[in-house]
Amino acid sequence: MLALAGLTIATPVAAQSKHSLRDALFGDRAAAEARKAPPPPVARYVSDGGGAFVLDRATSTTLLKFENSSEVWVLSPHAGPRGDVIYKNELGEPVLRATKLGGMTLFTADRPAGAAAALMGRAPTIQPPAFITPNALFQRMLQAADRASRAARHRVSFETVQDARPETSVLVAECANVTAEAFERMARNGDRSLLNRIGRVLLAEGRKPGAAIKDDALIVTYAAGKGLAGRPSSDRIIKVVDK
């Protein structure tokens, strides 16, 4: 009903219903999308499969860390269809897909077609420190050697080819960590026999990150000045050992 200059005019019921239906179907949803805040730069997500991870997009280097792993993955963004962003690992494999409306899909070996991931809220950063102390580096290498030795079921030593400098200390520690992670993943997957020939892990500075096997040594190379992208992932190390 509308009142105008003392007159009352009836509004057709059909028109009211039409507008109410349109508002119910589209108006609230459109308004909600318009008001929807972008995800935090560092956020925690949980996938349909129950796996949780932290995605850190606070800097130009996108990082991801699963809660059941010590490895931090470096991802590179690529334009996808319909405005999506596909985040890939160093081997060029898709890990995440982010839609322009904020949806997130996680791709794993168990769910290669993807599993929806729900935003749970803010999370602490997973960016590494600028450097670590010599004692902290020594402890990290001891821990990595112990993890790798247990996975391989024989002693595996970890050594540095060059002395670590303050600006390379984090990379050396990260190389040790991802190598131990690779050993543990291979052991869990039943590939322990591939580790029989490795008795030493040599951490060496080079022009680009990588890994190679020479005699009984696994040589893991890191490149200074590239942040965490300056060391190989456990995926790349496994690919080398599995040749």
Side-chain angles (χ1 to χ4, degrees):
M1 304 286 286
L2 297 178
L4 181 62
L7 298 177
T8 300
I9 304 173
T11 303
V13 175
Q16 293 181 34
S17 301
K18 182 179 179 181
H19 287 294
S20 299
L21 182 60
R22 182 186 302 115
D23 291 342
L25 290 178
F26 303 108
D28 291 345
R29 185 175 66 186
E33 291 293 348
R35 292 193 302 267
K36 191 174 183 180
V42 186
R44 181 176 181 267
Y45 294 83
V46 175
S47 71
D48 276 350
F53 62 91
V54 172
L55 181 64
D56 192 329
R57 294 182 283 187
T59 71
S60 58
T61 302
T62 300
L63 303 178
L64 179 145
K65 181 182 179 298
F66 294 100
E67 288 191 349
N68 63 350
S69 171
S70 62
E71 182 169 4
V72 176
W73 297 84
V74 179
L75 305 180
S76 56
H78 300 265
R82 300 180 299 278
D84 294 353
V85 177
I86 310 297
Y87 291 94
K88 298 182 179 182
N89 61 20
E90 66 168 327
L91 300 180
E93 302 164 337
V95 176
L96 284 175
R97 180 177 66 225
T99 70
K100 61 181 179 181
L101 295 180
M104 193 72 72
T105 302
L106 174 69
F107 302 96
T108 64
D110 294 333
R111 301 286 292 274
L119 172 65
M120 304 306 292
R122 295 180 181 276
T125 183
I126 53 176
Q127 297 287 339
F131 65 92
I132 59 176
T133 65
N135 183 61
L137 174 57
F138 179 70
Q139 293 300 322
R140 294 273 293 274
M141 291 186 62
L142 280 181
Q143 293 167 4
D146 183 59
R147 291 168 59 194
S149 297
R150 288 201 307 269
R153 292 183 177 173
H154 64 261
R155 185 175 181 276
V156 180
S157 65
F158 277 56
E159 309 165 29
T160 56
V161 176
Q162 300 94 354
D163 290 336
R165 308 185 305 278
E167 63 270 26
T168 61
S169 59
V170 171
L171 278 179
V172 174
E174 280 292 322
C175 279
N177 178 59
V178 296
T179 302
E181 187 78 16
F183 275 53
E184 290 173 339
R185 287 177 57 193
M186 295 184 74
R188 286 197 300 269
N189 293 336
D191 297 329
R192 186 177 279 111
S193 61
L194 296 172
L195 303 173
N196 289 340
R197 55 181 169 154
I198 300 174
R200 298 182 298 157
V201 173
L202 303 180
L203 309 178
E205 186 171 356
R207 290 180 298 175
K208 61 181 183 179
I213 290 180
K214 183 177 181 181
D215 299 327
D216 70 335
L218 171 63
I219 304 169
V220 181
T221 307
Y222 58 90
K226 298 179 181 293
L228 287 188
R231 55 94 169 117
S233 66
S234 62
D235 274 355
R236 183 170 292 280
I237 294 171
I238 289 172
K239 189 174 181 179
V240 168
V241 175
D242 196 22
K243 281 184 178 178

